[in-house]
């Protein structure tokens, strides 16, 4: 109280002269006046009983005269003039307002008489309260009403309810005391040293109970401070525990005791999935944990949360009783992955640009040389054709000699042999340029927001074409494509990026292996049981067993600084596993050493739930 009122203990009584305490009963405040403080004992004494469970409010005193006048006028509203009144005044009212009592003179419209007591009204202490009974002479045929009298059963019921609430508060307090006492007794037994055999059993039980209690408290404290949201959901779908992060993410205020369906809904194929039909209920029933790295929650206020969650069964006394759901908001991560994927694609295109320019320059060069040769050859052919025309139109002998001379000068046999070859080479060069440009166009095509049926054989061919500058001179590429490979429903541009990352990774592995160049990269495709499999094998140094579980982690790299970012394989795994419900793993390459990356995609994942159990 001294801290709240900003005073020293000796000044407290004086500071409280304009204050008092009160309890709230319905819409009324009943005063609880302080008789004094004992600072040595740290206690306060009241003029009346303060019941267990009462909530005390610190009140500012109102003006004695004005408050009494207003109360009297309110009471007399719509009533005839009173004949007389009997006032029952609390003695504390006079004690605390002695100097202001004269302000009430002349207020009453009739003779009044009364007395002062430590009064009660229906068992409720009414300290500092004035009650009264007034008498009225009502003419025949007239009437009036009094709200308190007319509503007396309601007031009486409210008073009775107050005492019932007090008894409940006492029981609750006693239970808390019993619980604290049991805990203290348990701790006492657990701390005992030498003891009899009977007491030893009790002590052992107490130690186990204390350890369980401490463990439970630690777990609750840990869960409360986790950044991830944690929900404990009973088999019926009601939330029995929610940590601070869960309340922050779901934004629904208090969650405990509410149905999970009323708080948040899991989306499957764009449709809401109720708890009774969803994976959380199946976890309770089967005991198999559920994991989803790319799920959507819809909160009660309509917000969509992109989340990753895990769900595990919780047993009570050996029986499945609830599910623990741990989840986190991954929207920022998804946005970063989208940016990283786009940046990786742009970086790949930029790295390939110089090599592609060289690739295009080579056919352009021989096309230019051949076209210049054809230009010169045509000039000679025109001369020869002119001579032949003259031969047909003029003197046969003279024209024949001229034609023969022109044919020798033009090297007609050579022109007839080489001109078709030059034209074919030029056409091949043009076709090669078209193929490179088309592959580049297909590879760098912006991703769409929807999956499309994609020919993965063609996607691999395009990727190998644009990446030719990367692997030429380092490795030879061998392809074994299944001609009957079915089309796969996927994000085509993102799969192109996966193929490029795997090929570049293979090239770098061969370069760093120290083996003689060129190495070998083998790309194969096949399908069975509704799954397409792509293998990219290299003859590099392989992946050490200790690193196989780490190479798909974001930012993990074994390359020197500036050579790798550790994002390539992480992007591959995110695209294949998270976005396409597929799998990506690395194994040893039995043919020629090195490693083989095995990518599997379901042929049609458009109608499935991305749930891995």
């Amino acid at each position: 109280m001294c801290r709240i009122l900003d005073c020293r203990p000796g000044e407290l009584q004086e500071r409280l002269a304009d204050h008092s305490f009160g309890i709230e009963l319905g819409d009324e405040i009943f005063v609880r006046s302080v008789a004094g403080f004992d600072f040595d004992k740290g206690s306060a004494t009241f003029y009346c009983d303060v019941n267990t469970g009462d909530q005390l409010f610190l009140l500012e005193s109102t003006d004695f005269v004005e408050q009494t006048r207003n109360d009297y006028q309110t009471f007399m509203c719509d009533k005839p003039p009173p004949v007389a009144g009997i006032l029952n005044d609390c003695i504390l009212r006079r004690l605390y307002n002695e100097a202001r009592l004269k302000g009430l003179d002349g207020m009453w419209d009739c003779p009044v008489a009364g007395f002062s007591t430590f009064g009660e009204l229906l068992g409720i202490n009414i300290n500092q309260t004035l009650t009264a009974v007034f008498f009225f002479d009502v003419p025949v045929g007239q009437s009036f009403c009094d709200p308190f009298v007319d509503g007396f059963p309601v007031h009486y019921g409210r008073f009775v309810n107050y005492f019932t609430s007090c008894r409940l508060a006492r029981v609750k307090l006693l239970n808390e005391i019993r619980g604290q006492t049991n805990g203290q007794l348990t701790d006492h037994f657990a701390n005992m040293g030498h003891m009899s055999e009977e007491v030893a059993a009790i002590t052992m039980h107490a130690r186990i109970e204390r350890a369980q209690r401490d463990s439970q408290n630690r777990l609750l404290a840990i869960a409360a401070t986790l950044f991830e949201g944690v929900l404990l959901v009973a088999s019926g779908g009601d939330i029995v525990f929610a940590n601070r992060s869960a309340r922050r993410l779901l934004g629904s205020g208090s969650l405990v005791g509410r149905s999970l369906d009323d708080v948040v809904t899991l989306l499957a194929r764009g449709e809401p999935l109720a708890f009774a039909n969803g994976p959380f209920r199946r976890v309770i029933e089967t005991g198999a944990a559920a994991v989803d790295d790319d799920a959507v929650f819809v909160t009660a206020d309509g917000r969509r949360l992109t989340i990753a969650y895990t769900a595990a069964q919780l047993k009570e006394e050996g029986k499945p009783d609830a599910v623990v759901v741990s989840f986190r908001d991954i929207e920022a991560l998804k946005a970063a992955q989208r940016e990283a994927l786009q940046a990786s694609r742009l970086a790949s295109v930029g790295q390939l640009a110089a090599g592609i320019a060289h690739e295009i320059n080579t056919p352009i060069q021989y096309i230019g040389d051949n076209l210049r040769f054809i230009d010169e050859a045509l000039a000679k052919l025109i001369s020869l054709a002119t001579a032949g025309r003259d031969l047909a139109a003029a003197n046969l002998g003279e024209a024949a000699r001229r034609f023969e001379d022109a044919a020798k000068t033009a090297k007609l046999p050579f022109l007839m042999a080489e001109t078709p070859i030059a034209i074919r080479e030029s056409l091949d060069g043009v076709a090669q340029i078209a193929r490179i440009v088309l592959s580049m166009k297909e590879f760098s095509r912006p991703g769409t927001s929807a999956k499309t049926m994609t020919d993965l054989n063609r996607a691999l061919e395009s990727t190998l074409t644009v990446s030719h500058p990367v692997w030429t001179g380092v490795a030879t590429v061998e392809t074994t494509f299944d001609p009957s490979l079915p089309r796969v429903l996927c994000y085509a541009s993102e799969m192109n990026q996966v193929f490029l990352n795997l090929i570049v990774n293979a090239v770098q592995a061969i370069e760093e292996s120290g083996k003689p160049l060129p190495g070998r990269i083998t790309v194969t495709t096949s399908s069975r049981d509704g799954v397409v499999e792509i293998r990219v094998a290299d003859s590099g140094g392989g992946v050490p067993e200790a690193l196989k579980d780490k190479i798909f982690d974001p930012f993990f790299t074994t390359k020197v600084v500036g050579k790798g970012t550790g994002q390539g394989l992480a992007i591959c795994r995110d695209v294949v596993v998270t976005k396409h419900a597929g799998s990506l793993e690395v194994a040893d390459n039995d043919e020629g050493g090195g490693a083989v990356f095995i990518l599997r995609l379901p042929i049609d994942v458009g109608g499935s739930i991305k749930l891995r159990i």
Side-chain angles (χ1 to χ4, degrees), residues 491-537:
Y491 297 107
S493 63
E494 297 190 13
M495 290 309 305
N496 285 340
Q497 185 65 45
V498 170
F499 298 151
L500 178 63
N501 288 355
L502 294 179
I503 293 169
V504 171
N505 187 73
V507 170
Q508 293 174 346
I510 292 173
E511 288 178 325
E512 296 171 1
S513 68
K515 297 179 180 180
L517 300 180
R520 186 176 71 256
I521 297 174
T522 305
V523 183
T524 61
T525 63
S526 61
S527 67
R528 68 174 183 275
D529 300 329
V531 175
V532 165
E533 182 178 282
I534 298 102
R535 290 174 174 257
V536 179

Short mmCIF file of all heavy atoms in Angstrom, two decimals, residues 491-537:
data_model
loop_
_atom_site.label_atom_id
_atom_site.label_comp_id
_atom_site.label_asym_id
_atom_site.label_seq_id
_atom_site.Cartn_x
_atom_site.Cartn_y
_atom_site.Cartn_z
N TYR A 491 6.01 -28.62 -61.74
CA TYR A 491 6.41 -27.27 -62.11
C TYR A 491 7.63 -27.41 -63.03
O TYR A 491 8.75 -27.67 -62.55
CB TYR A 491 6.76 -26.45 -60.88
CG TYR A 491 5.60 -26.24 -59.92
CD1 TYR A 491 5.55 -26.91 -58.71
CD2 TYR A 491 4.56 -25.37 -60.24
CE1 TYR A 491 4.49 -26.73 -57.83
CE2 TYR A 491 3.50 -25.17 -59.37
CZ TYR A 491 3.47 -25.86 -58.16
OH TYR A 491 2.43 -25.67 -57.31
N ALA A 492 7.45 -27.23 -64.32
CA ALA A 492 8.49 -27.56 -65.30
C ALA A 492 9.75 -26.73 -65.10
O ALA A 492 10.87 -27.26 -65.11
CB ALA A 492 7.94 -27.35 -66.71
N SER A 493 9.61 -25.41 -64.91
CA SER A 493 10.79 -24.56 -64.79
C SER A 493 11.60 -24.91 -63.55
O SER A 493 12.84 -24.86 -63.56
CB SER A 493 10.37 -23.09 -64.76
OG SER A 493 9.57 -22.82 -63.62
N GLU A 494 10.91 -25.27 -62.47
CA GLU A 494 11.63 -25.61 -61.24
C GLU A 494 12.33 -26.96 -61.37
O GLU A 494 13.43 -27.16 -60.82
CB GLU A 494 10.68 -25.58 -60.06
CG GLU A 494 10.08 -24.20 -59.81
CD GLU A 494 9.33 -24.11 -58.50
OE1 GLU A 494 9.47 -25.02 -57.66
OE2 GLU A 494 8.62 -23.11 -58.30
N MET A 495 11.75 -27.90 -62.11
CA MET A 495 12.43 -29.17 -62.35
C MET A 495 13.64 -28.97 -63.24
O MET A 495 14.67 -29.64 -63.06
CB MET A 495 11.46 -30.17 -62.98
CG MET A 495 10.36 -30.65 -62.03
SD MET A 495 10.96 -31.27 -60.44
CE MET A 495 12.13 -32.51 -60.97
N ASN A 496 13.57 -28.05 -64.23
CA ASN A 496 14.75 -27.72 -65.03
C ASN A 496 15.90 -27.25 -64.14
O ASN A 496 17.06 -27.60 -64.35
CB ASN A 496 14.41 -26.64 -66.05
CG ASN A 496 13.60 -27.15 -67.22
OD1 ASN A 496 13.59 -28.35 -67.48
ND2 ASN A 496 12.90 -26.26 -67.91
N GLN A 497 15.55 -26.42 -63.14
CA GLN A 497 16.58 -25.92 -62.23
C GLN A 497 17.18 -27.06 -61.41
O GLN A 497 18.39 -27.09 -61.16
CB GLN A 497 15.98 -24.87 -61.29
CG GLN A 497 16.99 -24.19 -60.39
CD GLN A 497 17.99 -23.36 -61.17
OE1 GLN A 497 17.62 -22.63 -62.07
NE2 GLN A 497 19.27 -23.49 -60.85
N VAL A 498 16.34 -28.02 -61.00
CA VAL A 498 16.84 -29.18 -60.25
C VAL A 498 17.82 -29.97 -61.11
O VAL A 498 18.92 -30.33 -60.66
CB VAL A 498 15.66 -30.08 -59.81
CG1 VAL A 498 16.18 -31.41 -59.26
CG2 VAL A 498 14.83 -29.38 -58.75
N PHE A 499 17.46 -30.24 -62.38
CA PHE A 499 18.34 -31.00 -63.27
C PHE A 499 19.67 -30.27 -63.47
O PHE A 499 20.74 -30.89 -63.45
CB PHE A 499 17.66 -31.25 -64.62
CG PHE A 499 16.40 -32.06 -64.54
CD1 PHE A 499 15.37 -31.89 -65.45
CD2 PHE A 499 16.23 -33.00 -63.52
CE1 PHE A 499 14.22 -32.64 -65.38
CE2 PHE A 499 15.06 -33.76 -63.43
CZ PHE A 499 14.05 -33.57 -64.36
N LEU A 500 19.61 -28.95 -63.67
CA LEU A 500 20.84 -28.18 -63.87
C LEU A 500 21.72 -28.25 -62.62
O LEU A 500 22.95 -28.45 -62.74
CB LEU A 500 20.50 -26.74 -64.21
CG LEU A 500 21.71 -25.81 -64.39
CD1 LEU A 500 22.55 -26.27 -65.57
CD2 LEU A 500 21.28 -24.36 -64.57
N ASN A 501 21.12 -28.09 -61.44
CA ASN A 501 21.90 -28.14 -60.20
C ASN A 501 22.59 -29.49 -60.04
O ASN A 501 23.76 -29.57 -59.62
CB ASN A 501 21.01 -27.86 -59.00
CG ASN A 501 20.59 -26.41 -58.90
OD1 ASN A 501 21.03 -25.57 -59.69
ND2 ASN A 501 19.73 -26.09 -57.94
N LEU A 502 21.89 -30.58 -60.37
CA LEU A 502 22.48 -31.91 -60.24
C LEU A 502 23.62 -32.10 -61.24
O LEU A 502 24.66 -32.71 -60.92
CB LEU A 502 21.41 -32.98 -60.44
CG LEU A 502 20.31 -33.05 -59.37
CD1 LEU A 502 19.30 -34.14 -59.72
CD2 LEU A 502 20.91 -33.31 -57.99
N ILE A 503 23.46 -31.60 -62.46
CA ILE A 503 24.52 -31.73 -63.47
C ILE A 503 25.74 -30.89 -63.08
O ILE A 503 26.89 -31.36 -63.15
CB ILE A 503 23.99 -31.32 -64.86
CG1 ILE A 503 22.95 -32.34 -65.33
CG2 ILE A 503 25.13 -31.19 -65.87
CD1 ILE A 503 22.17 -31.91 -66.55
N VAL A 504 25.51 -29.65 -62.67
CA VAL A 504 26.62 -28.80 -62.23
C VAL A 504 27.32 -29.42 -61.03
O VAL A 504 28.56 -29.41 -60.93
CB VAL A 504 26.11 -27.38 -61.89
CG1 VAL A 504 27.20 -26.56 -61.22
CG2 VAL A 504 25.62 -26.68 -63.15
N ASN A 505 26.56 -29.99 -60.11
CA ASN A 505 27.14 -30.65 -58.93
C ASN A 505 28.02 -31.82 -59.37
O ASN A 505 29.11 -32.04 -58.82
CB ASN A 505 26.02 -31.13 -58.02
CG ASN A 505 26.55 -31.67 -56.70
OD1 ASN A 505 26.99 -30.93 -55.83
ND2 ASN A 505 26.52 -32.99 -56.55
N ALA A 506 27.57 -32.59 -60.38
CA ALA A 506 28.37 -33.71 -60.89
C ALA A 506 29.66 -33.23 -61.53
O ALA A 506 30.73 -33.82 -61.35
CB ALA A 506 27.53 -34.52 -61.89
N VAL A 507 29.58 -32.15 -62.32
CA VAL A 507 30.77 -31.59 -62.97
C VAL A 507 31.78 -31.14 -61.92
O VAL A 507 32.99 -31.44 -62.03
CB VAL A 507 30.39 -30.41 -63.88
CG1 VAL A 507 31.62 -29.68 -64.37
CG2 VAL A 507 29.55 -30.90 -65.06
N GLN A 508 31.33 -30.45 -60.89
CA GLN A 508 32.24 -29.97 -59.85
C GLN A 508 32.85 -31.14 -59.08
O GLN A 508 34.03 -31.09 -58.69
CB GLN A 508 31.49 -29.04 -58.91
CG GLN A 508 31.06 -27.73 -59.56
CD GLN A 508 30.19 -26.88 -58.66
OE1 GLN A 508 29.67 -27.34 -57.65
NE2 GLN A 508 30.01 -25.61 -59.05
N ALA A 509 32.06 -32.20 -58.86
CA ALA A 509 32.59 -33.38 -58.17
C ALA A 509 33.70 -34.02 -58.98
O ALA A 509 34.73 -34.48 -58.43
CB ALA A 509 31.46 -34.38 -57.91
N ILE A 510 33.55 -34.08 -60.30
CA ILE A 510 34.60 -34.67 -61.16
C ILE A 510 35.84 -33.79 -61.16
O ILE A 510 36.98 -34.28 -61.08
CB ILE A 510 34.05 -34.85 -62.59
CG1 ILE A 510 32.96 -35.92 -62.61
CG2 ILE A 510 35.17 -35.20 -63.56
CD1 ILE A 510 32.24 -36.05 -63.94
N GLU A 511 35.65 -32.46 -61.23
CA GLU A 511 36.79 -31.54 -61.22
C GLU A 511 37.58 -31.65 -59.92
O GLU A 511 38.82 -31.60 -59.93
CB GLU A 511 36.30 -30.10 -61.40
CG GLU A 511 35.81 -29.77 -62.79
CD GLU A 511 35.29 -28.35 -62.90
OE1 GLU A 511 34.70 -27.86 -61.90
OE2 GLU A 511 35.47 -27.73 -63.96
N GLU A 512 36.90 -31.81 -58.81
CA GLU A 512 37.57 -31.82 -57.51
C GLU A 512 38.10 -33.19 -57.12
O GLU A 512 38.79 -33.32 -56.10
CB GLU A 512 36.59 -31.33 -56.43
CG GLU A 512 36.14 -29.88 -56.62
CD GLU A 512 35.00 -29.50 -55.68
OE1 GLU A 512 34.60 -30.37 -54.89
OE2 GLU A 512 34.52 -28.36 -55.77
N SER A 513 37.77 -34.23 -57.89
CA SER A 513 38.19 -35.59 -57.52
C SER A 513 39.66 -35.84 -57.76
O SER A 513 40.26 -36.74 -57.16
CB SER A 513 37.35 -36.61 -58.30
OG SER A 513 37.67 -36.56 -59.70
N GLY A 514 40.28 -35.06 -58.65
CA GLY A 514 41.69 -35.28 -58.98
C GLY A 514 41.91 -36.41 -59.97
O GLY A 514 43.05 -36.73 -60.31
N LYS A 515 40.83 -37.01 -60.47
CA LYS A 515 40.96 -38.10 -61.43
C LYS A 515 41.23 -37.53 -62.83
O LYS A 515 40.92 -36.37 -63.09
CB LYS A 515 39.68 -38.95 -61.45
CG LYS A 515 39.39 -39.65 -60.14
CD LYS A 515 38.09 -40.46 -60.23
CE LYS A 515 37.78 -41.17 -58.91
NZ LYS A 515 36.51 -41.95 -59.00
N PRO A 516 41.79 -38.34 -63.73
CA PRO A 516 42.06 -37.86 -65.10
C PRO A 516 40.76 -37.43 -65.79
O PRO A 516 39.72 -38.06 -65.60
CB PRO A 516 42.67 -39.08 -65.79
CG PRO A 516 43.22 -39.93 -64.68
CD PRO A 516 42.30 -39.73 -63.51
N LEU A 517 40.86 -36.37 -66.56
CA LEU A 517 39.72 -35.85 -67.30
C LEU A 517 39.80 -36.35 -68.74
O LEU A 517 40.90 -36.57 -69.27
CB LEU A 517 39.71 -34.32 -67.25
CG LEU A 517 39.61 -33.69 -65.86
CD1 LEU A 517 39.60 -32.16 -65.98
CD2 LEU A 517 38.37 -34.18 -65.11
N PRO A 518 38.70 -36.50 -69.41
CA PRO A 518 37.35 -36.22 -68.92
C PRO A 518 36.78 -37.37 -68.10
O PRO A 518 37.11 -38.53 -68.31
CB PRO A 518 36.55 -36.03 -70.22
CG PRO A 518 37.24 -36.93 -71.21
CD PRO A 518 38.70 -36.89 -70.85
N GLY A 519 35.91 -36.99 -67.17
CA GLY A 519 35.16 -38.00 -66.42
C GLY A 519 33.91 -38.39 -67.17
O GLY A 519 33.78 -38.15 -68.37
N ARG A 520 32.97 -38.98 -66.44
CA ARG A 520 31.75 -39.44 -67.10
C ARG A 520 30.53 -39.09 -66.24
O ARG A 520 30.53 -39.29 -65.03
CB ARG A 520 31.80 -40.94 -67.33
CG ARG A 520 30.60 -41.46 -68.16
CD ARG A 520 30.69 -42.94 -68.48
NE ARG A 520 30.50 -43.78 -67.31
CZ ARG A 520 31.45 -44.40 -66.64
NH1 ARG A 520 32.72 -44.28 -67.05
NH2 ARG A 520 31.19 -45.15 -65.59
N ILE A 521 29.51 -38.55 -66.90
CA ILE A 521 28.22 -38.29 -66.26
C ILE A 521 27.17 -39.11 -67.00
O ILE A 521 27.10 -39.07 -68.23
CB ILE A 521 27.85 -36.79 -66.32
CG1 ILE A 521 28.88 -35.95 -65.55
CG2 ILE A 521 26.46 -36.56 -65.73
CD1 ILE A 521 28.66 -34.46 -65.68
N THR A 522 26.39 -39.86 -66.25
CA THR A 522 25.36 -40.71 -66.83
C THR A 522 24.00 -40.26 -66.33
O THR A 522 23.78 -40.13 -65.12
CB THR A 522 25.58 -42.18 -66.46
OG1 THR A 522 26.90 -42.57 -66.86
CG2 THR A 522 24.56 -43.07 -67.16
N VAL A 523 23.09 -40.00 -67.28
CA VAL A 523 21.73 -39.58 -66.93
C VAL A 523 20.76 -40.62 -67.49
O VAL A 523 20.77 -40.88 -68.70
CB VAL A 523 21.40 -38.19 -67.50
CG1 VAL A 523 20.00 -37.76 -67.06
CG2 VAL A 523 22.44 -37.17 -67.06
N THR A 524 19.95 -41.20 -66.61
CA THR A 524 19.00 -42.22 -67.04
C THR A 524 17.61 -41.88 -66.51
O THR A 524 17.46 -41.25 -65.46
CB THR A 524 19.40 -43.61 -66.52
OG1 THR A 524 19.41 -43.60 -65.09
CG2 THR A 524 20.77 -43.99 -67.03
N THR A 525 16.60 -42.32 -67.26
CA THR A 525 15.21 -42.15 -66.81
C THR A 525 14.50 -43.49 -66.93
O THR A 525 14.81 -44.30 -67.82
CB THR A 525 14.45 -41.11 -67.65
OG1 THR A 525 14.38 -41.56 -69.01
CG2 THR A 525 15.13 -39.76 -67.60
N SER A 526 13.55 -43.73 -66.04
CA SER A 526 12.75 -44.95 -66.07
C SER A 526 11.48 -44.70 -65.26
O SER A 526 11.36 -43.68 -64.56
CB SER A 526 13.53 -46.14 -65.49
OG SER A 526 13.87 -45.89 -64.13
N SER A 527 10.54 -45.62 -65.33
CA SER A 527 9.31 -45.49 -64.56
C SER A 527 8.78 -46.86 -64.19
O SER A 527 8.95 -47.84 -64.94
CB SER A 527 8.25 -44.73 -65.37
OG SER A 527 7.84 -45.48 -66.50
N ARG A 528 8.14 -46.91 -63.02
CA ARG A 528 7.45 -48.12 -62.59
C ARG A 528 6.58 -47.79 -61.39
O ARG A 528 6.88 -46.89 -60.60
CB ARG A 528 8.44 -49.23 -62.22
CG ARG A 528 9.27 -48.97 -60.98
CD ARG A 528 10.12 -50.19 -60.63
NE ARG A 528 10.88 -49.98 -59.41
CZ ARG A 528 12.05 -49.39 -59.34
NH1 ARG A 528 12.60 -48.91 -60.46
NH2 ARG A 528 12.67 -49.25 -58.19
N ASP A 529 5.46 -48.49 -61.29
CA ASP A 529 4.53 -48.38 -60.16
C ASP A 529 4.08 -46.94 -59.93
O ASP A 529 4.00 -46.46 -58.80
CB ASP A 529 5.18 -48.92 -58.87
CG ASP A 529 5.55 -50.38 -58.99
OD1 ASP A 529 4.86 -51.10 -59.74
OD2 ASP A 529 6.53 -50.80 -58.35
N GLY A 530 3.83 -46.21 -61.03
CA GLY A 530 3.32 -44.85 -60.88
C GLY A 530 4.35 -43.84 -60.46
O GLY A 530 4.00 -42.73 -60.06
N VAL A 531 5.64 -44.18 -60.56
CA VAL A 531 6.72 -43.27 -60.14
C VAL A 531 7.75 -43.18 -61.26
O VAL A 531 8.13 -44.20 -61.85
CB VAL A 531 7.39 -43.77 -58.84
CG1 VAL A 531 8.59 -42.88 -58.49
CG2 VAL A 531 6.40 -43.78 -57.70
N VAL A 532 8.19 -41.95 -61.55
CA VAL A 532 9.28 -41.72 -62.51
C VAL A 532 10.59 -41.57 -61.73
O VAL A 532 10.63 -40.87 -60.71
CB VAL A 532 9.00 -40.47 -63.35
CG1 VAL A 532 10.25 -40.02 -64.09
CG2 VAL A 532 7.89 -40.74 -64.35
N GLU A 533 11.63 -42.21 -62.23
CA GLU A 533 12.94 -42.15 -61.55
C GLU A 533 13.97 -41.58 -62.50
O GLU A 533 14.10 -42.01 -63.64
CB GLU A 533 13.35 -43.55 -61.08
CG GLU A 533 14.67 -43.56 -60.34
CD GLU A 533 15.04 -44.96 -59.84
OE1 GLU A 533 14.47 -45.38 -58.81
OE2 GLU A 533 15.89 -45.62 -60.48
N ILE A 534 14.72 -40.59 -62.01
CA ILE A 534 15.83 -39.97 -62.77
C ILE A 534 17.09 -40.17 -61.96
O ILE A 534 17.13 -39.85 -60.77
CB ILE A 534 15.59 -38.48 -63.03
CG1 ILE A 534 14.34 -38.27 -63.89
CG2 ILE A 534 16.79 -37.85 -63.71
CD1 ILE A 534 13.14 -37.84 -63.12
N ARG A 535 18.12 -40.70 -62.61
CA ARG A 535 19.42 -40.90 -61.95
C ARG A 535 20.47 -40.06 -62.65
O ARG A 535 20.59 -40.09 -63.89
CB ARG A 535 19.83 -42.38 -61.98
CG ARG A 535 18.98 -43.28 -61.09
CD ARG A 535 19.34 -44.74 -61.27
NE ARG A 535 18.63 -45.59 -60.33
CZ ARG A 535 19.17 -46.13 -59.23
NH1 ARG A 535 20.45 -45.91 -58.96
NH2 ARG A 535 18.46 -46.87 -58.42
N VAL A 536 21.24 -39.32 -61.84
CA VAL A 536 22.36 -38.55 -62.35
C VAL A 536 23.60 -39.05 -61.62
O VAL A 536 23.79 -38.79 -60.43
CB VAL A 536 22.17 -37.03 -62.11
CG1 VAL A 536 23.38 -36.27 -62.63
CG2 VAL A 536 20.89 -36.55 -62.79
N ALA A 537 24.44 -39.82 -62.35
CA ALA A 537 25.63 -40.44 -61.75
C ALA A 537 26.88 -39.78 -62.29
O ALA A 537 26.92 -39.31 -63.44
CB ALA A 537 25.65 -41.93 -62.05
#
